[in-house]
Amino acid sequence: MSKYSGVQFGYNDCGDMVTAEKLFTINRMKGLGPVVHHRIIAGMYFLSYHGRHYYEQALRVRQQIYNDFQTIFSKNHKNKKETVDIILTPVTLSSAPSVKRMKEIGPVESSIYDTYTVVVNLAGLPAISVPVGFCKEGFPLGLQVIGRWMDEVTMMKVARAIELIINSCKYQYFVTYLN
């Protein structure tokens, strides 16, 4: 939580002459949105004594997610002739929501947009989002490039190749196909 203080970087609306407690309180209240507040409170609960069971269960699920990705990327996977170096997924379940839509939905609904990225973070994998076009309403669409553990170089090369293909006029049909 100390990084959300506004002292070194980030939101600071207090000026110079305030106590540390007031500085942290004001900056966290005004500088963090409702979704972040909800996630911080949920995290504090799950780390408390009452949420211990949920936390332990979450650690088991996290380990299972890690093991599943290990299996996918390992050479001992079902198809032993080929290995998986990169996984491509959408970044979100739909196109980006409008600012108006984000204000209308609550923190739980807004977390649905993180579905594909959360799993990758739980597994500790490197991933990057590459813009690949726009939906019919004009909102951006992204492709997530997921790499192996400690192989950011391959992931970055693939992401760059996708950018070059998308940006070239020759392959512009790909962008419209996504619509």
Side-chain angles (χ1 to χ4, degrees):
M1 286 298 297
S2 63
K3 63 184 171 183
Y4 300 116
S5 65
V7 174
Q8 292 181 342
F9 61 90
Y11 185 86
N12 188 339
D13 192 30
C14 294
D16 295 334
M17 303 301 283
V18 294
T19 64
E21 182 179 345
K22 187 173 182 178
L23 173 82
F24 296 161
T25 303
I26 291 172
N27 289 339
R28 288 177 184 160
M29 282 176 48
K30 292 183 178 179
L32 303 175
V35 173
V36 176
H37 283 167
H38 183 270
R39 290 181 181 181
I40 290 170
I41 291 169
M44 289 170 38
Y45 172 77
F46 290 121
L47 289 174
S48 73
Y49 175 76
H50 301 294
R52 185 172 157 196
H53 168 72
Y54 297 112
Y55 180 71
E56 290 169 353
Q57 185 177 358
L59 288 177
R60 286 192 294 277
V61 170
R62 180 181 183 191
Q63 186 62 49
Q64 184 60 50
I65 291 169
Y66 175 85
N67 294 343
D68 289 347
F69 275 106
Q70 279 284 72
T71 302
I72 291 168
F73 283 119
S74 75
K75 293 181 181 177
N76 298 326
H77 191 52
K78 293 175 186 173
N79 186 353
K80 295 181 182 180
K81 296 176 185 174
E82 298 176 10
T83 60
V84 175
D85 296 317
I86 294 291
I87 299 172
L88 300 176
T89 69
V91 174
T92 60
L93 294 169
S94 65
S95 63
S98 66
V99 174
K100 180 182 175 187
R101 174 74 180 128
M102 284 303 290
K103 288 180 181 177
E104 292 171 355
I105 63 177
V108 175
E109 283 184 71
S110 67
S111 67
I112 292 171
Y113 290 102
D114 296 342
T115 301
Y116 293 130
T117 57
V118 168
V119 175
V120 176
N121 286 310
L122 289 173
L125 293 168
I128 187 170
S129 172
V130 181
V132 293
F134 298 90
C135 68
K136 291 175 187 168
E137 293 81 22
F139 295 114
L141 297 171
L143 184 67
Q144 182 175 219
V145 181
I146 304 168
R148 295 170 168 265
W149 289 272
M150 305 304 289
D151 191 12
E152 288 86 355
V153 173
T154 302
M155 178 201 64
M156 295 297 285
K157 286 180 181 178
V158 170
R160 181 66 181 142
I162 292 169
E163 281 183 332
L164 292 172
I165 291 169
I166 295 299
N167 291 332
S168 85
C169 296
K170 194 164 134 183
Y171 294 101
Q172 209 58 33
Y173 71 88
F174 180 74
V175 176
T176 51
Y177 177 73
L178 291 171
N179 292 322

